[in-house]
Amino acid sequence: MRDDPPKRGRKPSPELRRTILNAAIGVFAARGIDAATTREIAAAATTTERTLFKHFGSKAGLVQAALEAVSIDFLSDTAFKRVHDPAPFTAQEFAAWHRTFLEDRVETARRSPENYRILFAELLRNESLRGSYGPRWKATVMEPLAAHLARMQSSGEIGRALAPAMLASGFFGLNLSYLLTRFALAPGEAWDDRRDIEAIVAMFAAMCR
């Protein structure tokens, strides 16, 4: 495996960079980051190692770019804009939003299951990624959701038996455990996404009562 610096020359193509990045995510998910080589990633992108290094500098640079791309995809969810709204959901509106949110996550994972596999695997083993991803996730989705749930408690739409932060943790626990099992641990099982999503929405609603 080479670790050459990028060469001078023609300006790198953004389209080719994205092609290499997508190929890397697929190879990393299939083979693991340590086992994957820049040669096979370049082949998967139908380019050369020299071009790969021109864009990313080294395998380490490519790994960092791939993890950043995957984590940004997870954090840049426009669905979460609604939880920043000071007007709280009704219980029925929240259930409908939850259903749509999870349906979208399932569809996204169905299109690109390698993104889930690589991110979950690296969050477990990569302390550096946890250190950078965790605070961004907390600020972007966890804390806004907890704040919105607190507003729903104040408006009387949901019960006060559990603290908002605990409810937010339960929300992500239910959703992420399903996605992890569905797309990383047992993707070959006969899943019924529609039925399962309804069950998850109902379980969270029960937590809120």
Side-chain angles (χ1 to χ4, degrees), residues 149-164:
L149 291 167
R151 293 194 290 275
M152 290 180 68
Q153 287 181 330
S154 296
S155 69
E157 285 296 324
I158 59 176
R160 297 172 178 266
L162 295 175

Side-chain angles (χ1 to χ4, degrees), residues 124-202:
L124 291 174
R125 69 182 289 273
N126 189 325
E127 185 175 353
S128 175
L129 178 63
R130 288 197 302 275
S132 62
Y133 185 79
R136 292 168 60 202
W137 174 81
K138 183 178 179 182
T140 304
V141 295
M142 179 69 170
E143 290 177 343
L145 178 61
H148 196 97
L149 291 167
R151 293 194 290 275
M152 290 180 68
Q153 287 181 330
S154 296
S155 69
E157 285 296 324
I158 59 176
R160 297 172 178 266
L162 295 175
M166 181 62 69
L167 287 174
S169 295
F171 176 88
F172 288 110
L174 286 170
N175 289 299
L176 291 177
S177 62
Y178 179 71
L179 293 169
L180 175 61
T181 306
R182 169 74 172 80
F183 293 101
L185 298 178
E189 296 296 319
W191 296 92
D192 185 335
D193 292 322
R194 184 182 298 276
R195 178 202 63 199
D196 297 340
I197 288 170
E198 289 301 326
I200 291 168
V201 171

Side-chain angles (χ1 to χ4, degrees), residues 29 34 45 53 63 69-70 75 86 94 107 109 112 118 122 142-143 147 154 184 194:
D34 292 338
F53 287 121
V63 169
V70 171
L75 290 174
F94 189 93
E107 181 57 32
S112 303
I118 190 173
E122 287 305 301
M142 179 69 170
E143 290 177 343
S154 296
R194 184 182 298 276

